[in-house]
Amino acid sequence: INAEYGEEDLLQNPVTAPPAKVEDEVEINDLPQQARYRITSKDAIAAVQDYSECALTVRGTYYPPNRNPPEGERKLYICIEGPRDRAITLAKMELKRMIKEELNKAHCCSRSSNVS
């Protein structure tokens, strides 16, 4: 290597390995429909990606309750890929916050319609 590039070139342009990726998942298949729609919307995904510096990808297929996916298939989930554990944690926290917000909205709406 030194003969080809010269020692000086290596100091100016060191060869570095690509940063390691960290991955995690959040299963969303069994959430209420409104919560699934909210957290898989383009705006929500973009907001979490900007906030956490992670890449989020919706994967899998929705399966109704009490129905298991065929072999080789997965239920609906969000794959989170990031540069560090901390970034993954931030993304998961923000997703969970959004889910809780949607569940609270659904709960409040169902209570107010039952009161009338």
Side-chain angles (χ1 to χ4, degrees), residues 58-76:
V58 179
R59 294 187 180 161
T61 305
Y62 173 73
Y63 289 93
N66 303 321
R67 185 162 171 244
N68 291 323
E71 191 173 326
E73 296 289 320
R74 298 257 330 255
K75 286 185 173 186
L76 196 62

Side-chain angles (χ1 to χ4, degrees), residues 2-100:
N2 287 351
E4 189 174 330
Y5 294 106
E7 194 171 324
E8 207 171 286
D9 288 337
L10 286 175
L11 292 175
Q12 290 175 353
N13 301 314
V15 178
T16 58
K21 257 193 313 187
V22 182
E23 293 183 24
D24 206 347
E25 301 173 355
V26 175
E27 189 167 307
I28 58 171
N29 190 81
D30 298 333
L31 293 174
Q33 183 179 19
Q34 190 62 31
R36 284 195 317 272
Y37 283 164
R38 164 82 167 98
I39 64 171
T40 59
S41 72
K42 282 185 181 181
D43 292 340
I45 294 287
V48 175
Q49 288 180 150
D50 289 345
Y51 176 71
S52 66
E53 300 177 357
C54 289
L56 276 67
T57 310
V58 179
R59 294 187 180 161
T61 305
Y62 173 73
Y63 289 93
N66 303 321
R67 185 162 171 244
N68 291 323
E71 191 173 326
E73 296 289 320
R74 298 257 330 255
K75 286 185 173 186
L76 196 62
Y77 68 99
I78 296 178
C79 178
I80 308 168
E81 297 173 295
R84 300 174 303 285
D85 285 331
R86 178 71 179 141
I88 298 290
T89 301
L90 284 173
K92 287 177 75 173
M93 286 172 44
E94 184 61 11
L95 284 171
K96 288 178 182 179
R97 185 196 65 75
M98 294 167 91
I99 291 167
K100 284 181 184 177

